[in-house]
Amino acid sequence: MIKRGMILIFVILFLVSSVSALQRGYCVTAEITSINPSSIEADEDFTVGIVIDNCGDKIPENITFEILRHSEDIEIKEPLINHIGKMGYANSQRFILYHMHSSPDASPGEHVFETKITYGNKNFHIEKEDNFSITINTQKPDLAVSRIYTNPEIISEGEKIILTIDIENAGNGKAKDVRVELEKLELKGVKQKYLGKIESDENIPARFVFEGNKKGIYEGNIKVNYKFAGENKELNFPIQIQIFSNGTNHYYIAGIILIFGVLGYFLYRKKLNPKN
């Protein structure tokens, strides 16, 4: 039994040393040579260049480069497995170009790609796993209510009210699927509006029509929902509408409402941006 064990050990060592000797001189690497454009945003086409290098003194065969795993936020237009075959001579190079596209809701930050390169000859093969990363620099939107006004400006009992709420994007990125909803506002009418996409420095009005049947002060909340980087975002702003009885001194009251409205808006913006 001891002799058989010793013979088995010698056979294993011989095979390992033979394979090791056979593999000497075989070396293939894969490196990123270019990412174009260098700064990638969401919903953008870009390319990734990869060089396959024969860094040994033997001619490798059956060379395959494969992307094993990648972010769902990035589409790869070429096949994930690239069959390179045989390097024609030592110290040669092959170039691979992948065309990719970041999704409209791609998360900002680093996205890792796991890769594998396989090579060898008819008697053996070698596998090397590696990774590289793509950084998506998504510009953020900055939504706010820039103006609130009604038509008529001074509302009397029994009048139809057209309420306009301007939504402004002061950020560098676009906001998507923007929706405006009026909560707790006890006036009859449709209280939801879909605005869609708001680009940077763009202002879009949301208009609502209500029936002002009864005098009083109606308070509510403006809820703004939008999508950014694949996530749902929510903002809230207060709102107040006053309906007067017929015969009220409207000009005097309008002046008071205007003053308090302007002060309230700037105080609210100050609360949102305490550093300003």
Side-chain angles (χ1 to χ4, degrees), residues 143 145 165 167 175-182 191-198 204-206 208 221-227 232-237:
L143 296 188
V145 174
I165 302 172
I167 307 298
K176 301 174 183 178
D177 291 336
V178 181
R179 302 169 189 270
V180 181
E181 181 180 355
L182 299 176
K191 299 177 183 177
Q192 293 181 338
K193 291 291 179 181
Y194 179 74
L195 301 182
K197 180 174 62 178
I198 303 181
I204 295 181
F208 302 86
N221 177 65
I222 304 170
K223 185 169 73 174
V224 180
N225 286 301
Y226 67 98
K227 285 187 178 180
N232 293 317
K233 305 291 183 180
E234 181 180 309
L235 300 171
N236 291 277
F237 305 89

Side-chain angles (χ1 to χ4, degrees), residues 128-197:
K128 292 180 181 178
E129 293 189 4
D130 204 349
N131 64 74
F132 67 91
S133 64
I134 299 292
T135 300
I136 296 179
N137 302 307
T138 304
Q139 300 293 330
K140 294 182 179 181
D142 182 14
L143 296 188
V145 174
S146 61
R147 187 170 65 147
I148 301 173
Y149 57 98
T150 61
N151 185 19
E153 293 183 13
I154 302 169
I155 307 163
S156 298
E157 289 178 290
E159 290 185 318
K160 182 177 290 186
I161 307 166
I162 300 176
L163 170 66
T164 303
I165 302 172
D166 286 346
I167 307 298
E168 179 184 12
N169 182 6
N172 295 321
K174 57 188 172 184
K176 301 174 183 178
D177 291 336
V178 181
R179 302 169 189 270
V180 181
E181 181 180 355
L182 299 176
E183 298 179 319
K184 301 178 181 178
L185 188 64
E186 296 181 357
L187 291 171
K188 291 184 179 180
V190 177
K191 299 177 183 177
Q192 293 181 338
K193 291 291 179 181
Y194 179 74
L195 301 182
K197 180 174 62 178

Side-chain angles (χ1 to χ4, degrees), residues 28 52 60-67 78-87 94-98 116-119:
V28 177
I52 308 298
E61 301 176 5
N62 304 321
I63 301 172
T64 300
F65 179 81
E66 180 179 358
I67 296 178
E78 280 77 20
L80 299 183
I81 301 177
N82 198 307
H83 298 283
I84 299 167
K86 178 180 179 181
M87 292 289 225
R94 296 285 179 85
F95 294 91
I96 303 172
L97 187 66
Y98 285 100
K116 180 176 74 174
I117 189 166
T118 306
Y119 60 93

